[in-house]
Amino acid sequence: MKRSYVGVLALCLVLLLNIVFLQLAVHQFFFERYTLVLIYVALNILLFPIALWIYKKEKNQTMNSG
Amino acid sequence: MTEQNKPYEEDNYTHNIHRNRERTLDRRGFMKTMVGAAGVFAVSSLPWGGVAARELWNFADDEDERQKIANVTDVPVGESFDFTYPTEHDSALLIRLAENDYVAYQNACTHLQCPVFWEKESWEMICPCHHGYFSAETGEPTGGPPRRPLPEIELQVQDGTIYAVKVKRYEA
């Protein structure tokens, strides 16, 4: 079985984006740019199903190949 | 393979795990943790979104109340006066820059919320915690770590009394 770390790297990227978006949302909140806050919060929430999808995809791949 | 011929004692289908909980640190477990972390981030950003949405949609009826701060005679030119506005938890600073020139700001430093003081000698507002400097005329940061201006409070002077009317919004 050949190991693939694509899923791990993709999830690391998702987590990095999570941190960045939360930081931006908090910053824009203090600048009172509330529309931008909503956009960043929406992006952050959207990342969760993406992470779940990456995990499931990676799990299925491992099961099929291994 | 029958029960007697089992080569290993432990209930371990890969036979190469030598430490307790070794499998909880594998790739699958790591990915599960990352997905969980993404969930935690999604949930923790909800309150910010909630408050932002409320601010956006209740913008019009979010008026602050008019509040008396001080009498004109209490604040000589070049001096400052502490008060709280719009609630008793928001400390603020009134400065009389000239005979008929008053400014007021919420004085929590926009860096890490330390109280900002008026320094008459340097004619500047100073945050002593990390040496942040603000212009008294505009509230803009002039030095140090803060990047955002102090929230300005709109004032009215009527019959020798100074009133706070509302907290100005940032230019979006």
Side-chain angles (χ1 to χ4, degrees):
Chain A
M1 188 183 94
K2 193 173 178 296
R3 284 194 173 171
S4 158
Y5 282 97
V6 174
V8 173
L9 290 173
L11 284 171
C12 284
L13 187 73
V14 165
L15 200 70
L16 177 75
L17 286 176
N18 260 322
I19 294 167
V20 170
F21 288 151
L22 187 63
Q23 168 79 336
L24 284 171
V26 172
H27 265 252
Q28 296 309 320
F29 181 85
F30 281 111
F31 273 103
E32 300 192 356
R33 293 178 192 138
Y34 296 118
T35 322
L36 279 175
V37 176
L38 286 183
I39 291 169
Y40 287 128
V41 167
L43 284 171
N44 229 356
I45 292 167
L46 204 69
L47 282 175
F48 176 59
I50 291 173
L52 212 61
W53 173 76
I54 293 172
Y55 172 72
K56 283 192 173 153
K57 199 172 161 238
E58 193 70 5
K59 197 172 80 172
N60 290 340
Q61 255 181 11
T62 331
M63 276 159 70
N64 293 339
S65 63
Chain B
M1 194 180 287
T2 63
E3 198 64 25
Q4 287 105 350
N5 297 337
K6 213 170 143 185
Y8 293 96
E9 288 278 311
E10 69 269 41
D11 175 23
N12 174 348
Y13 59 87
T14 58
H15 309 298
N16 58 4
I17 291 176
H18 304 298
R19 274 178 290 167
N20 285 340
R21 300 171 58 79
E22 192 164 306
R23 279 193 66 78
T24 58
L25 290 168
D26 65 1
R27 187 171 43 155
R28 177 84 51 95
F30 179 76
M31 294 207 301
K32 270 184 193 165
T33 311
M34 297 297 258
V35 175
V40 169
F41 268 95
V43 171
S44 63
S45 52
L46 279 176
W48 298 97
V51 178
R54 210 190 59 188
E55 288 282 340
L56 267 184
W57 286 307
N58 288 348
F59 193 78
D61 48 71
D62 197 24
E63 283 292 303
D64 298 318
E65 281 192 18
R66 184 177 146 119
Q67 179 191 310
K68 182 188 164 181
I69 304 173
N71 295 319
V72 170
T73 48
D74 298 339
V75 195
V77 174
E79 295 298 325
S80 67
F81 187 85
D82 292 324
F83 65 105
T84 59
Y85 187 81
T87 70
E88 57 176 295
H89 304 291
D90 305 301
S91 72
L93 195 64
L94 168 78
I95 306 165
R96 189 172 182 180
L97 295 173
E99 193 57 37
N100 284 316
D101 188 8
Y102 301 91
V103 285
Y105 304 98
Q106 286 188 335
N107 71 340
C109 180
T110 52
H111 173 224
L112 286 174
Q113 312 285 303
C114 270
V116 174
F117 297 93
W118 166 239
E119 282 278 323
K120 194 182 173 185
E121 293 74 33
S122 55
W123 208 254
E124 235 176 350
M125 299 171 83
I126 295 176
C127 171
C129 293
H130 307 101
H131 300 279
Y133 296 88
F134 295 92
S135 153
E137 278 81 14
T138 60
E140 295 278 344
T142 53
R147 289 286 169 269
R148 285 175 289 124
L150 293 169
E152 191 177 350
I153 296 169
E154 225 167 86
L155 299 170
Q156 257 178 16
V157 184
Q158 226 171 31
D159 305 327
T161 311
I162 309 160
Y163 297 91
V165 183
K166 70 178 215 184
V167 180
K168 274 191 197 165
R169 302 220 158 234
Y170 287 121
E171 299 293 323

